[in-house]
Amino acid sequence: MKTLTMDDNLQHESVTPKAPKRKKKTKGDFWKSVGQQKYLYFMSIPFVIWLFVFSYVPLWGWTMAFQNYKPAKSFSNQKWVGLKNFVELFQDERFYLVLRNTLAMSIMGIVVGFIVPIVFAILLNELRSMKFKRTIQTVSYLPHFVSWVVVAGIITKLLSIDGGIVNEILLSLHIIDQPIQFMAKGNWFWGIVTASDVWKETGWNAIIYLAAITGIDKEQYEAARVDGASRFRQIWNITLPGIRPTIMVLLILSIGHLTSIGFEKQMLLGNSLVTDYSEVLDLYALKYGIQINRFSYGTAIGMFNSIVSIILLFTANGLFKKFAKESIM
């Protein structure tokens, strides 16, 4: 065995590459970077102002949740009631029913409305005819631009007992003996809303996945075909891992909006027969807050909604960062 001498050690140390030292960024470097990218900063100023005016300035209105707010009085003359509105909110049995509806439709929307666009984008990407592919893509995202007022009218007509195409098909196939009043059955309402939302938004939501798929290196597919991989194996081993970061980011954002699903489709598709299944948090705030001039109570509902969304966003981001190594922050 050869014994290393001091000269050998010195020689070994001399050829060992040393990690380059990172240069600490100074204020001068920051301003230098700003000077180099000044046009980008100037372009972003209008959007920063818009964000500040419409997203941060309205947070001042949260003070109404701790007041017995009266529009005729100035801010200094409002009566402060502390957490009274929140106590009243959490003691209302209707609130928990509404929260159940909101979470149920949100979870169904995430599970179905999140998976379907991914599958649709992958299947669309597998089409070989570019003309047919573009036609399908155009037709699929057009419903996104249709108002929910129009969509609700279409859905109601399709499910109507008076000439509705769904009942007509079921009757002609002898699946049912008499028309079904779909819009009067509360336990079917969540499914109707979810299906309507999927039909309206699938094509639009698939665009971002199609964009992510185009960013995958085509040589990976060529190498897989040379190795004899089927198209399904290519999708499983190349396409899905390639769009995984996009899927994770959008999933985290969707979880953050779990309680903020709006109220348009529920209000337009709902009726007095399915109120116990159609009412969501935003609609509850509108009905029991703003419409009867209980502005402080409505603000408390909105504040609860926003805080829960923030907690869900940070929780989902932390879990995905820990287990899936994906994060948006």
Side-chain angles (χ1 to χ4, degrees), residues 99 101-110 252-262 281 305 308-309 312-313:
L99 185 60
N101 297 337
T102 304
L103 293 176
M105 281 184 270
S106 294
I107 293 172
M108 290 176 67
I110 290 177
I252 293 171
L253 293 175
S254 298
I255 292 174
H257 290 86
L258 197 65
T259 59
S260 303
I261 61 173
L281 278 173
N305 201 350
V308 170
S309 296
L312 288 173
L313 178 62

Side-chain angles (χ1 to χ4, degrees), residues 85-100:
N85 291 308
F86 292 95
V87 172
E88 185 179 350
L89 174 65
F90 293 127
Q91 289 179 345
D92 186 6
E93 294 181 358
R94 188 76 185 174
F95 166 72
Y96 295 99
L97 180 66
V98 168
L99 185 60
R100 179 205 67 176

Side-chain angles (χ1 to χ4, degrees), residues 258-273:
L258 197 65
T259 59
S260 303
I261 61 173
F263 63 89
E264 296 88 352
K265 47 184 175 287
Q266 287 82 7
M267 183 176 67
L268 294 168
L269 290 171
N271 54 67
S272 58
L273 298 175

Side-chain angles (χ1 to χ4, degrees), residues 252 313-323 326-327 329:
I252 293 171
L313 178 62
F314 278 94
T315 303
N317 184 74
L319 291 174
F320 277 91
K321 188 176 183 179
K322 182 178 180 179
F323 296 106
E326 297 291 344
S327 172
M329 290 178 282

